[in-house]
Amino acid sequence: MEYNFREIEKKWHQKWVENKTYKVVEDENKKKFYVHNMFPYPSGAGLHVGLPLGYIASDIYARYKRLNGFNVLNPMGYDAYGLPAEQYAIQTGQHPEVTTVANINRYREQLDKIGFCFDWDRVVFKPSFMYDCSDGKKSIRLYYYMQSQTPDFFSIMPYSDNSNPLAVRVNNPDLENSLYHHYEANIRFNGLKNQQYVGFFATGNFYHNLVGTRTTYNSQTGGYTYMSDNIGGGGNWDFWTTTSYGVALDKARLFRLDYRLWFNGLRRKDFDIAYDDNSTQLCYVLRTELGNSLYFKYQKDKLSINLGGKVEWKHGTSDRSNFEKLNAYDFEYGGNMTYTLPLGISLSTDLKEYCRRGYSEKSFNTSDLVWNASLARSFCKGKLTLKAEACDILQNLSSTVYEVGGQGKTEKWNNTLPSYAMVHLMYKFSKAPKSKK
């Protein structure tokens, strides 16, 4: 009888994948045993013959310990990038990110065909790239990494929390890993005429297979059921960019101007609410923010004054039928001052008005004039400090906070006292350990 290993091994490998035969679940009733293999460098078109030789030995031992009642963790990963990956990229004329991902996919295919008992849900893969250059007058920093995020253990346990029948939480054992790409760019020029500087900063993320929340509403009971689930594909991203400029306004450099311009955005795709037995539909929210700030600063001897303000325009849209488009703006203006009085008493105060306009919900449109002040005096050569401060002297702040998040408007209640007065007595000391002779 002919042994058709291709068909037989393909069949059983598929069974192992479908049944998650080698998935490791925490079990406090079993003794733990950890098997660690040398992670391969993904710097070649295929596995080196010496790698499976070692993996076979550890695989045999892992199976032996599992059959003897141990809870065995036998993970696999990749020692990505580094000099081997760089050398392979030079030899093939390709970017390390391209060759590394392609080689990892090939390695995974080969390891699967051999039939090792790895728990592939626990793979952590985080390649990264960084470029940093600085010469005193300019600095350039570029950074990127890609990371796979595994769902936490509790969220994949087959468990339902119905302690509140109107808000039932159901775990999802089928949650998969999420993947996201993060990037940063920071460029700054210093040492220009009149203490000028120019800077640019950008950062953001691209998400794949992100975890969202399926929400089902039961019209008969009035209760909600929540379950985490993967949002297939991409479609989720965010970014933040800032351009800054500063310059001294006089030869004595007592007066200074600082300006910032920023543009932020995010797109969030998530599950819309399903009513009764209707299927859950995906929806998205797109939000952008454009803002700028301008501040003038004066500083001489014991006096420092800072005056200015900022304004930020916000826009939000969605394909949800019940979503109200957002076209609003927030702005603030005011200043702060610090001054050293006689007897070494330090006075600090700030007065600002925070305003919001253009929101469809009237409770969001607020104007809050906030005044804070403090007095401080140090004694005993700076070791003892007595400080009295008052926050929100005009009592205009509220413990209720209104925000516009990724999926719309939210209202939060903070258990805090926005307005208060407080006296601090602080003592600072340090003691060095005796040197050993």
Side-chain angles (χ1 to χ4, degrees):
M1 180 179 178
E2 182 183 359
Y3 174 64
N4 191 340
F5 66 90
R6 288 188 175 88
E7 292 297 326
I8 294 174
E9 291 183 6
K10 181 180 179 182
K11 169 190 172 181
W12 285 106
H13 177 258
Q14 186 64 31
K15 290 284 186 181
W16 297 337
V17 173
E18 292 174 356
N19 298 329
K20 295 190 174 182
T21 304
Y22 301 124
K23 184 176 179 62
V24 180
V25 178
E26 282 77 357
D27 189 346
E28 296 296 332
N29 297 320
K30 294 183 178 180
K31 292 183 178 180
K32 300 177 183 178
F33 193 81
Y34 179 62
V35 178
H36 181 69
N37 296 280
M38 182 185 71
F39 295 160
Y41 293 110
S43 55
L47 284 169
H48 187 277
V49 68
L51 292 171
L53 182 63
Y55 299 158
I56 290 171
S58 59
D59 189 79
I60 293 172
Y61 196 57
R63 293 174 185 270
Y64 169 77
K65 298 298 287 186
R66 186 177 289 114
L67 291 174
N68 278 272
F70 286 82
N71 194 21
V72 180
L73 177 60
N74 183 23
M76 175 51 65
Y78 306 98
D79 195 349
Y81 289 141
L83 290 177
E86 180 182 332
Q87 185 61 34
Y88 183 78
I90 294 173
Q91 292 175 353
T92 59
Q94 302 178 74
H95 194 281
E97 180 185 358
V98 176
T99 58
T100 300
V101 173
N103 292 339
I104 283 177
N105 293 334
R106 175 59 177 159
Y107 285 18
R108 170 67 186 273
E109 179 185 355
Q110 292 177 309
L111 292 169
D112 281 344
K113 285 184 177 180
I114 298 174
F116 292 120
C117 59
F118 298 135
D119 181 0
W120 289 107
D121 289 340
R122 294 176 179 263
V123 174
V124 178
F125 175 49
K126 186 181 177 180
S128 61
F129 162 82
M130 185 176 70
Y131 173 80
D132 203 338
C133 176
S134 177
D135 61 3
K137 291 187 176 181
K138 70 175 184 297
S139 62
I140 301 174
R141 186 178 188 272
L142 306 175
Y143 181 52
Y144 162 84
Y145 68 81
M146 179 173 65
Q147 182 168 338
S148 175
Q149 186 170 0
T150 303
D152 64 89
F153 172 69
F154 177 77
S155 64
I156 60 176
M157 288 292 292
Y159 170 76
S160 298
D161 181 4
N162 57 1
S163 56
N164 182 357
L166 297 180
V168 178
R169 184 77 195 185
V170 180
N171 286 357
N172 185 359
D174 296 323
L175 278 181
E176 300 175 354
N177 291 0
S178 301
L179 184 70
Y180 64 92
H181 304 262
H182 175 81
Y183 66 88
E184 293 180 16
N186 195 350
I187 304 172
R188 186 180 176 94
F189 297 92
N190 298 307
L192 304 177
K193 187 178 179 181
N194 295 329
Q195 284 191 330
Q196 293 184 77
Y197 72 87
V198 179
F200 173 77
F201 175 77
T203 184
N205 303 280
F206 293 95
Y207 305 91
H208 181 78
N209 211 28
L210 202 61
V211 175
T213 302
R214 290 185 181 272
T215 304
T216 304
Y217 175 73
N218 189 323
S219 59
Q220 295 182 351
T221 64
Y224 290 86
T225 301
Y226 305 96
M227 184 182 73
S228 298
D229 201 0
N230 292 98
I231 303 169
N236 286 288
W237 46 260
D238 49 49
F239 68 88
W240 298 266
T241 63
T242 301
T243 302
S244 54
Y245 172 75
V247 62
L249 300 177
D250 62 322
K251 292 183 178 180
R253 298 175 179 176
L254 301 177
F255 295 89
R256 182 172 188 82
L257 177 147
D258 290 287
Y259 175 77
R260 286 201 318 131
L261 173 69
W262 63 88
F263 180 52
N264 310 326
L266 67 81
R267 187 181 190 271
R268 288 291 182 267
K269 185 169 65 171
D270 206 342
F271 300 102
D272 202 355
I273 297 177
Y275 295 91
D276 297 321
D277 295 330
N278 295 331
S279 60
T280 305
Q281 301 294 325
L282 286 172
C283 62
Y284 78 90
V285 170
L286 178 65
R287 192 186 76 190
T288 54
E289 299 173 349
L290 175 64
N292 67 119
S293 65
L294 181 66
Y295 286 93
F296 294 92
K297 185 176 182 179
Y298 170 80
Q299 184 168 7
K300 183 179 181 181
D301 300 331
K302 301 178 180 179
L303 177 64
S304 175
I305 301 175
N306 195 15
L307 300 173
K310 70 176 184 179
V311 59
E312 185 175 58
W313 292 270
K314 299 183 178 182
H315 175 74
T317 185
S318 173
D319 60 352
R320 290 207 324 243
S321 58
N322 60 345
F323 185 89
E324 295 183 17
K325 288 187 177 180
L326 174 67
N327 285 292
Y329 60 97
D330 301 349
F331 63 95
E332 65 181 64
Y333 56 90
N336 60 70
M337 179 192 73
T338 58
Y339 182 67
T340 303
L341 300 170
L343 302 177
I345 299 174
S346 176
L347 168 67
S348 178
T349 184
D350 61 87
L351 181 67
K352 282 188 178 182
E353 182 157 27
Y354 302 87
C355 306
R356 308 209 298 182
R357 299 290 185 270
Y359 295 90
S360 58
E361 179 64 37
K362 292 183 179 180
S363 59
F364 278 55
N365 298 310
T366 57
S367 295
D368 299 317
L369 182 63
V370 181
W371 179 27
N372 306 311
S374 68
L375 289 170
R377 171 75 160 84
S378 294
F379 304 91
C380 302
K381 298 181 180 181
K383 291 183 177 181
L384 183 66
T385 301
L386 178 64
K387 181 179 180 181
E389 65 173 335
C391 293
D392 189 23
I393 299 173
L394 304 178
Q395 299 186 356
N396 286 326
L397 291 180
S398 170
S399 59
T400 305
V401 180
Y402 301 97
E403 297 178 344
V404 179
Q407 283 293 324
K409 303 171 186 175
T410 60
E411 183 175 351
K412 295 194 305 185
W413 290 270
N414 297 325
N415 188 19
T416 59
L417 294 174
S419 305
Y420 64 89
M422 186 177 295
V423 176
H424 306 264
L425 183 61
M426 298 168 284
Y427 182 74
K428 180 173 61 176
F429 71 95
S430 61
K431 183 178 181 180
K434 295 182 179 179
S435 59
K436 295 182 180 180
K437 294 182 180 180

